[in-house]
Amino acid sequence: RVPSWIRVCDAYKKFEQMSIFTRIHGKFIYTKQEKWSFYLPALDFVRNRKYDWAFHIGEWWSPEFVATKVNAVQKAAWLHQDLDVQYFDEDVFFQFNEYFDKYIFVSEYSKKASISLFPFIENKACCIYNINDIAYIKYQSQELITDTFFPANMPTLITCANIRTEKNHLRQIEAMRILQDRGVHFQWINIGSTVNT
């Protein structure tokens, strides 16, 4: 569903398909550190280009590429959750603070919780809620499922969330206990990976 006017660089796929000659050519353009840290196709994709905005996505890895390799008038880091999670490394992430004009959070709560931990981001923090295509989701929900994994005579509850403490699955289990006590029988499917917390 990506519009045709959007240019996508699948850097990993392109790197896998690169010839030895292209890789050697990269030796003359980029430093050893650049080649060690980033895929050559990603470096090529942004080389000699200037953008109005550049966005780093996610709090789980370093924003170094957008910070130091992308030439943009404005730069923002999009953060999907509070920054008190176990895998967030503030030393790695915020060492590029000076390069970023905005930190975008997906909820006011997440923004405020993160500012309380890192007050220096307050003037750069803003909130843009996740965008959901409600009409498309409703359309998909009407599709007939013939898979026997989903019993026709029983409601199926599906959650899409990794099993981590901050996702608060225990609250969902409490709600399901209430449904069970009311005589509602259902199955619960959770789509997500388990992560040590």
Side-chain angles (χ1 to χ4, degrees), residues 165-180:
T165 306
E166 61 269 14
K167 300 295 184 181
N168 201 1
H169 286 290
L170 292 177
R171 185 173 181 198
Q172 180 173 349
I173 292 169
E174 290 169 7
M176 291 181 175
R177 174 80 264 169
I178 293 169
L179 290 174
Q180 287 282 349

Side-chain angles (χ1 to χ4, degrees), residues 93-138:
F93 196 88
F94 287 125
Q95 71 174 307
F96 302 101
N97 177 52
E98 65 187 271
Y99 293 92
F100 288 93
D101 302 284
K102 295 289 180 187
Y103 292 106
I104 302 170
F105 294 89
V106 296
S107 74
E108 284 294 335
Y109 177 86
S110 181
K111 181 181 88 170
K112 288 175 184 173
S114 298
I115 289 171
S116 71
L117 289 170
F118 307 103
F120 65 89
I121 69 171
E122 183 170 12
N123 292 334
K124 294 182 177 183
C126 65
C127 176
I128 300 176
Y129 295 102
N130 278 338
I131 299 170
N132 292 310
D133 186 342
I134 302 300
Y136 184 69
I137 292 171
K138 286 181 178 178

Side-chain angles (χ1 to χ4, degrees), residues 137-144:
I137 292 171
K138 286 181 178 178
Y139 166 76
Q140 286 185 308
S141 73
Q142 301 303 315
E143 289 182 16
L144 182 64

Side-chain angles (χ1 to χ4, degrees), residues 4-177:
S4 59
W5 52 269
I6 293 178
R7 293 179 60 221
V8 177
C9 174
D10 187 338
Y12 177 76
K13 183 178 179 182
K14 289 187 176 189
F15 180 77
E16 291 289 298
Q17 298 170 345
M18 283 175 64
S19 69
I20 189 68
F21 300 109
T22 307
R23 293 182 194 213
I24 291 171
H25 177 69
K27 286 187 174 186
F28 300 102
I29 300 173
Y30 304 111
T31 66
K32 188 175 182 179
Q33 179 64 30
E34 287 174 325
K35 289 182 294 180
W36 182 79
S37 301
F38 312 109
Y39 287 118
L40 288 176
L43 291 166
D44 288 341
F45 190 78
V46 298
R47 188 168 178 257
N48 297 327
R49 289 194 170 93
K50 186 171 183 179
Y51 301 92
D52 295 317
W53 277 92
F55 297 89
H56 168 74
I57 306 297
E59 61 282 342
W60 48 87
W61 67 71
S62 169
E64 181 180 3
F65 182 79
V66 170
T68 64
K69 302 304 170 195
V70 181
N71 182 12
V73 177
Q74 300 278 312
K75 295 182 181 183
W78 182 84
L79 302 156
H80 192 255
Q81 61 188 25
D82 307 353
L83 299 183
D84 61 352
V85 290
Q86 197 173 27
Y87 58 81
F88 180 70
D89 187 337
E90 65 265 23
D91 294 330
V92 170
F93 196 88
F94 287 125
Q95 71 174 307
F96 302 101
N97 177 52
E98 65 187 271
Y99 293 92
F100 288 93
D101 302 284
K102 295 289 180 187
Y103 292 106
I104 302 170
F105 294 89
V106 296
S107 74
E108 284 294 335
Y109 177 86
S110 181
K111 181 181 88 170
K112 288 175 184 173
S114 298
I115 289 171
S116 71
L117 289 170
F118 307 103
F120 65 89
I121 69 171
E122 183 170 12
N123 292 334
K124 294 182 177 183
C126 65
C127 176
I128 300 176
Y129 295 102
N130 278 338
I131 299 170
N132 292 310
D133 186 342
I134 302 300
Y136 184 69
I137 292 171
K138 286 181 178 178
Y139 166 76
Q140 286 185 308
S141 73
Q142 301 303 315
E143 289 182 16
L144 182 64
I145 298 174
T146 56
D147 194 321
T148 55
F149 189 68
F150 299 94
N153 59 346
M154 183 184 293
T156 300
L157 303 175
I158 299 177
T159 55
C160 297
N162 292 336
I163 300 174
R164 296 198 303 253
T165 306
E166 61 269 14
K167 300 295 184 181
N168 201 1
H169 286 290
L170 292 177
R171 185 173 181 198
Q172 180 173 349
I173 292 169
E174 290 169 7
M176 291 181 175
R177 174 80 264 169

